[in-house]
Amino acid sequence: MRAADSARAGAVKHGLRRGRVPVTVVALGIVSFVTDASAEMITAVLPMYLIYGLGLGYLQLGALDSLYTGATALLRLAGGYAADRLNRPKAVAVAGYGVSALTRLGFPLAGGSLAGISTCVAIDRAGKGVRTAPRDAMITLATPTAELGRAFGVHRALDTAGALLGPLIAFGLLALLPGGYDAVFMVSFCLGAIGVLVLIFFVRQPGRAAARLPALRAGLRVALQPRVRSLVLAAGLLGLLTVGDMFLYVALQRQAGLPTSMLPLLPLGTAGTFMLAAIPLGRFADRFGRWRMFLAAHVLLAGAYLLVAGGIKGWVVAGAVLLLHGLFYAASDGVLMASAGPLVPEELRATGLAVVQTAQALARAVGALGFGIATAAAAARPVFGVFAVLLVAGVFLAARMRGRRS
């Protein structure tokens, strides 16, 4: 109750009435919009460049996807710890966004070197890891508890709109300047820098109590409490059974018989669905139950895996897969943070959320590597089928884990 009252008081302090999305949330959404446009310009062309340009196989792609996901993991804890310990989540978020923006200048220097590209990806993801928990903590601190699903839905919708715009910008630049990857990298850097400036000048840090204990130790102690621990374990289990996005898009392009040139555009289907569904599903999660919505999202994802495993060709199946994939993100990404936020005291909010995010990111990194190893030994279709079955089983197990604690 105290956390909820504190959140409502923070909302009143920022001049908000019940039912309105806090200004802080909207401003952070604009920052994420610009930053994701910057990031997805590069991410959209990487799979095609790595698979068809450098000739990498599923094993190498799995290792890179694991790095892409796992590089954020432990630094989420560092970012959350620094934000709580210094009581300056905004400053820590600025540092994370700034590091990611600077890495865009490193891709032209990496050229065709896999090691160089991997280093740039790792540093970029490190910046994301540092900024994520402080940013999400500011969202929870600025929003009444009963409206967290909606607030995260608004933020994730703006974030995903940027993810939708980024590939279009990259595609347009490459259409105007064939082979002009340096232009893509420079425009990406400029957008990232704009995002940092918006964060510095237009985002107000919500007020909160300072941590009375060393934040990392206290936050980990909070994470060991039954309700939070069961959420961490359940989210980690489901993350372990989640296939990386790069695999899904490459396998979908091949199994559906789509032209290679369409691969960079497939993320747009996911992003468009995510953007349109994030707000209504976030509001529905506030009423239906955030954890139940999170579990339902993974059932939708299992359906997408089964469609890929079926190997049916054509745009209709591809559209269905991307629709389910986008709905999965809309019903899970912000919903998990909205579910975890009220369980953690506000003075340790960034650290507590970082624990949840770290467990999920590490699990997804292991899952991506395991999927890459499995597909190196067997075809992708049966492995997708196995992951679909395991994911459904994981949903039932996660429901039991959380049900006992609830």
Side-chain angles (χ1 to χ4, degrees):
M1 289 296 296
R2 185 174 63 181
D5 292 340
S6 209
R8 291 189 188 95
V12 171
K13 181 179 178 181
H14 285 78
L16 298 169
R17 292 197 297 269
R18 181 174 178 83
R20 287 191 176 184
V21 177
V23 175
T24 297
V25 175
V26 176
L28 286 170
I30 293 171
V31 172
S32 293
F33 168 80
V34 179
T35 302
D36 251 44
S38 166
E40 293 302 320
M41 286 180 64
I42 296 175
T43 303
V45 300
L46 268 183
M48 185 171 72
Y49 178 62
L50 295 173
I51 294 289
Y52 298 109
L54 301 183
L56 301 184
Y58 274 121
L59 181 59
Q60 293 91 337
L61 187 63
L64 186 61
D65 194 50
S66 176
L67 174 66
Y68 186 86
T69 305
T72 69
L74 296 179
L75 284 169
R76 290 176 191 261
L77 283 176
Y81 170 79
D84 286 334
R85 182 63 171 164
L86 301 174
N87 199 26
R88 298 183 65 186
K90 176 181 172 179
V92 176
V94 167
Y97 279 104
V99 167
S100 291
L102 288 174
T103 60
R104 311 289 189 263
L105 299 177
F107 283 98
L109 300 177
S113 168
L114 181 60
I117 292 173
S118 299
T119 300
C120 291
V121 168
I123 296 174
D124 172 48
R125 297 297 91 185
K128 180 178 175 61
V130 167
R131 73 183 184 243
T132 300
R135 180 201 66 200
D136 286 349
M138 285 193 284
I139 293 174
T140 65
L141 292 168
T143 308
T145 300
E147 300 172 12
L148 279 174
R150 181 188 182 195
F152 274 101
V154 170
H155 175 268
R156 295 316 197 248
L158 287 168
D159 180 283
T160 309
L164 185 64
L165 180 63
L168 292 176
I169 296 174
F171 191 79
L173 286 172
L174 292 177
L176 292 173
L177 304 168
Y181 289 100
D182 287 352
V184 173
F185 298 140
M186 287 305 301
V187 172
S188 175
F189 166 73
C190 291
L191 288 175
I194 291 172
V196 174
L197 294 176
V198 172
L199 176 59
I200 292 173
F201 293 109
F202 295 99
V203 174
R204 294 176 58 190
Q205 177 175 298
R208 64 170 184 172
R212 294 181 293 274
L213 295 171
L216 183 60
R217 186 178 68 189
L220 292 176
R221 188 177 299 166
V222 168
L224 293 177
Q225 294 178 0
R227 288 195 305 166
V228 183
R229 182 175 65 234
S230 63
L231 185 144
V232 168
L233 293 175
L237 170 65
L238 294 176
L240 189 65
L241 302 173
T242 301
V243 177
D245 290 353
M246 288 187 187
F247 282 120
L248 181 68
Y249 296 136
V250 171
L252 180 61
Q253 178 262 317
R254 291 180 172 179
Q255 300 301 337
L258 305 180
T260 303
S261 60
M262 292 293 103
L263 181 56
L265 298 180
L266 292 181
L268 299 183
T270 296
T273 303
F274 188 176
M275 179 183 68
L276 295 174
I279 296 175
L281 288 182
R283 295 180 67 180
F284 184 64
D286 287 333
R287 295 163 175 78
F288 173 69
R290 295 162 191 157
W291 183 249
R292 282 184 286 180
M293 177 66 78
F294 183 75
L295 295 178
H298 287 79
V299 175
L300 295 176
L301 185 63
Y305 293 169
L306 286 175
L307 288 176
V308 174
I312 303 174
K313 298 184 181 297
W315 282 102
V316 174
V317 173
V321 171
L322 296 176
L323 175 65
L324 291 172
H325 196 226
L327 289 174
F328 158 72
Y329 274 117
S332 65
D333 189 36
V335 170
L336 177 61
M337 293 298 97
S339 180
L343 304 179
V344 185
E346 68 173 35
E347 65 269 21
L348 299 170
R349 188 65 53 82
T351 305
L353 294 182
V355 171
V356 179
Q357 293 166 352
T358 298
Q360 186 183 53
L362 285 174
R364 285 183 173 178
V366 173
L369 184 59
F371 187 88
I373 294 173
T375 49
R381 282 176 54 190
V383 179
F384 267 102
V386 170
F387 265 70
V389 174
L390 292 176
L391 187 56
V392 171
V395 167
F396 283 103
L397 181 57
R400 288 177 60 85
M401 292 167 62
R402 286 283 292 157
R404 286 198 299 267
R405 293 305 181 185
S406 298

